[in-house]
Amino acid sequence: MFLGPLSLALSGVAVWFAGAFFLIGFLVFIKTTAKKEKRARPIEPVVGAPVRDGLGRVEPAERSSQSVEAEPAASVDRPAAWSLALIRALEWKRFEDVCQQFYEKKGIRSETTPLGPDGGIDIRLFQDESGGPTSIVQCKAWGERLVGVKPVRELLGVMTHEKIGKAFFMTSGGYTDEAKAIAQANRITLIDGAMLLMMIERLPEGERQDLLAFATAGDYATPTCPSCGIKMRAVQGKGGRPDFWGCHHYPRCRQVLGMRRNVEAAASGMAR
């Protein structure tokens, strides 16, 4: 009679211990599985963060083959017509692309130079069946600033090196008298902002409006990084230095551009 209740009590204790061990084992299994999943999860790269090698050193920036989209610009009222003010507000890459598209609409095959050092050539024009460029174009989106003799002489040097007999220099501003004299003597056609506006206004209405839509699509005032191809960001200068444009990929990309005061307000407003 005594052994019966004792056996029953021992059986209950054994069942309790078995349940406890099972619960502990189950919790350990879940914790181990969670750790494995965490280790297996890929780490997303942080855009703009420095890339380090195995020794912790920062690797030099590499130009991406894909364009990285910058932060969307705030919506602004789009110009309803072409104007000299609009031409002078275009950032350097958009100005260059507008010039290239203008030649295309005139029926002239053209190619822009890829990002990076352009060797003094922004656009190549092909006007015969030889397959090679017949003339070259240099573009300067300098707002109202006058292009001096130095850039024109540099273009002349590129013409000699490339064995090209004709060139165009296109700017949003104007030219000094010395630059005009050098160009006139060396088959370099100078096109200032006012002349470019006149040439655009002579296009058929549909093509003119298409070019306007192309020119003002998205953020057309904030400059493009010459190395990365993305929109830059306004950086406040320190120690009395002027404000400037810096790359979003800093410190991987240390490209900087000066600000044009006449379009700075509009550009910074669109970049917010």
Side-chain angles (χ1 to χ4, degrees), residues 165-267:
K166 186 177 182 181
F168 297 87
F169 203 121
M170 307 181 73
T171 184
S172 56
Y175 301 91
T176 64
D177 291 338
E178 293 83 356
K180 293 176 181 178
I182 292 290
Q184 186 175 7
N186 292 280
R187 298 194 66 192
I188 299 176
T189 301
L190 301 182
I191 301 174
D192 60 17
M195 184 179 295
L196 177 59
L197 175 62
M198 182 178 63
M199 293 162 59
I200 291 174
E201 289 180 337
R202 288 178 177 175
L203 290 172
E205 175 68 18
E207 294 183 356
R208 185 168 68 249
Q209 289 301 319
D210 288 344
L211 190 60
L212 177 64
F214 174 83
T216 58
D219 182 354
Y220 59 84
T222 301
T224 301
C225 176
S227 298
C228 302
I230 65 172
K231 290 296 180 181
M232 305 182 84
R233 62 187 181 92
V235 181
Q236 185 175 5
K238 297 181 180 179
R241 297 178 180 177
D243 297 345
F244 60 92
W245 296 107
C247 184
H248 280 278
H249 285 171
Y250 178 86
R252 291 182 61 190
C253 177
R254 297 178 179 272
Q255 185 72 246
V256 296
L257 293 176
M259 284 191 173
R260 286 184 283 146
R261 297 300 173 184
N262 57 329
V263 297
E264 177 182 342

Side-chain angles (χ1 to χ4, degrees), residues 3-13:
L3 294 176
L6 180 61
S7 299
L8 184 60
L10 291 175
S11 298
V13 172

Side-chain angles (χ1 to χ4, degrees), residues 37-264:
E37 291 180 352
K38 185 176 181 180
R39 286 195 299 267
R41 188 179 300 125
I43 299 175
E44 296 293 336
V46 179
V47 176
V51 179
R52 300 181 181 273
D53 59 16
L55 299 178
R57 298 171 299 190
V58 178
E59 295 181 350
E62 297 180 359
R63 183 184 302 175
S64 173
S65 59
Q66 297 180 347
S67 176
V68 181
E69 186 176 355
E71 297 179 0
S75 59
V76 296
D77 294 333
R78 299 296 166 188
W82 280 97
S83 67
L84 185 57
L86 171 59
I87 290 176
R88 289 176 173 173
L90 298 177
E91 56 101 4
W92 73 269
K93 188 65 174 69
R94 187 64 60 89
F95 180 79
E96 181 179 304
D97 290 341
V98 165
C99 293
Q100 186 264 337
Q101 285 295 309
F102 170 80
Y103 285 112
E104 289 287 334
K105 292 188 178 301
K106 295 293 291 184
I108 302 173
R109 186 167 70 88
S110 58
E111 294 178 356
T112 54
T113 304
L115 291 175
D118 57 19
I121 302 174
D122 291 322
I123 305 172
R124 289 177 169 84
L125 303 180
F126 303 83
Q127 295 176 275
D128 59 25
E129 302 300 325
S130 65
T134 55
S135 52
I136 56 177
V137 184
Q138 177 64 263
C139 303
K140 295 293 183 186
W142 285 357
E144 300 177 2
R145 178 180 166 187
L146 298 180
V147 175
V149 67
K150 184 174 182 291
V152 178
R153 282 179 176 165
E154 290 174 349
L155 180 57
L156 177 59
V158 175
M159 292 171 61
T160 303
H161 181 267
E162 298 289 329
K163 296 180 174 58
I164 298 291
K166 186 177 182 181
F168 297 87
F169 203 121
M170 307 181 73
T171 184
S172 56
Y175 301 91
T176 64
D177 291 338
E178 293 83 356
K180 293 176 181 178
I182 292 290
Q184 186 175 7
N186 292 280
R187 298 194 66 192
I188 299 176
T189 301
L190 301 182
I191 301 174
D192 60 17
M195 184 179 295
L196 177 59
L197 175 62
M198 182 178 63
M199 293 162 59
I200 291 174
E201 289 180 337
R202 288 178 177 175
L203 290 172
E205 175 68 18
E207 294 183 356
R208 185 168 68 249
Q209 289 301 319
D210 288 344
L211 190 60
L212 177 64
F214 174 83
T216 58
D219 182 354
Y220 59 84
T222 301
T224 301
C225 176
S227 298
C228 302
I230 65 172
K231 290 296 180 181
M232 305 182 84
R233 62 187 181 92
V235 181
Q236 185 175 5
K238 297 181 180 179
R241 297 178 180 177
D243 297 345
F244 60 92
W245 296 107
C247 184
H248 280 278
H249 285 171
Y250 178 86
R252 291 182 61 190
C253 177
R254 297 178 179 272
Q255 185 72 246
V256 296
L257 293 176
M259 284 191 173
R260 286 184 283 146
R261 297 300 173 184
N262 57 329
V263 297
E264 177 182 342

